[in-house]
Amino acid sequence: MKYLLTAFVLLASAGWAQQSGQSTPGSPPYTTPPTFPQDRRAPSQQQIPPDQQAPPRAMSTAEVQQQIQQHLDSEPLLHSAGIRARAEEDSVSLTGTVDNESQHELALRIAQSYAGERKIIDKIKVRG
């Protein structure tokens, strides 16, 4: 009976120690390991979290010219116009002849949507 009472006292004190935040002797420290490994790469090499977008990369002059020309050429309403785009560092020049003002405005809108901060130089002629 004496042993049973001693075992009960030890179990009760161990339970009380765990409830009060104390660990029993020989028990491992209960800490949560990091969920993700520490990233030791330079900040410029770290990945951007999926809920954030990367800052837009400025397109080169050649890329801007190619984008504008490709979209002008693929637009069915401007197919027969033959509009040409030439991009510079600070501007985009449009040349060619269109049949009406709506085609003219469409060509300008296409160029503006890909020119970025570049100024649009309008040299498009409208027939009639």
Side-chain angles (χ1 to χ4, degrees):
M1 181 74 176
K2 183 177 179 183
Y3 293 112
L4 185 60
L5 184 59
T6 304
F8 177 74
V9 169
L10 285 176
L11 287 175
S13 64
W16 179 79
Q18 287 180 353
Q19 286 180 356
S20 66
Q22 298 175 2
S23 61
T24 57
S27 65
Y30 288 101
T31 59
T32 305
T35 306
F36 299 102
Q38 295 293 330
D39 198 354
R40 305 243 187 255
R41 292 181 285 178
S44 63
Q45 295 175 341
Q46 293 179 356
Q47 292 182 353
I48 295 175
D51 62 337
Q52 295 180 3
Q53 293 183 355
R57 179 183 68 84
M59 289 195 295
S60 70
T61 301
E63 289 173 319
V64 168
Q65 182 170 322
Q66 180 184 12
Q67 286 281 319
I68 294 171
Q69 192 64 57
Q70 179 183 1
H71 285 87
L72 289 170
D73 292 344
S74 66
E75 176 56 50
L77 295 175
L78 299 175
H79 184 66
S80 63
I83 298 173
R84 292 289 157 233
R86 181 181 169 120
E88 301 292 331
E89 285 297 317
D90 60 349
S91 64
V92 175
S93 297
L94 297 176
T95 58
T97 305
V98 294
D99 293 330
N100 54 50
E101 191 59 38
S102 64
Q103 287 179 329
H104 181 225
E105 291 173 11
L106 177 59
L108 290 175
R109 280 197 312 268
I110 290 171
Q112 288 170 343
S113 55
Y114 295 98
E117 298 293 319
R118 292 172 174 85
K119 182 176 113 178
I120 304 296
I121 300 172
D122 180 12
K123 295 181 181 179
I124 298 173
K125 296 178 184 171
V126 180
R127 291 186 192 113

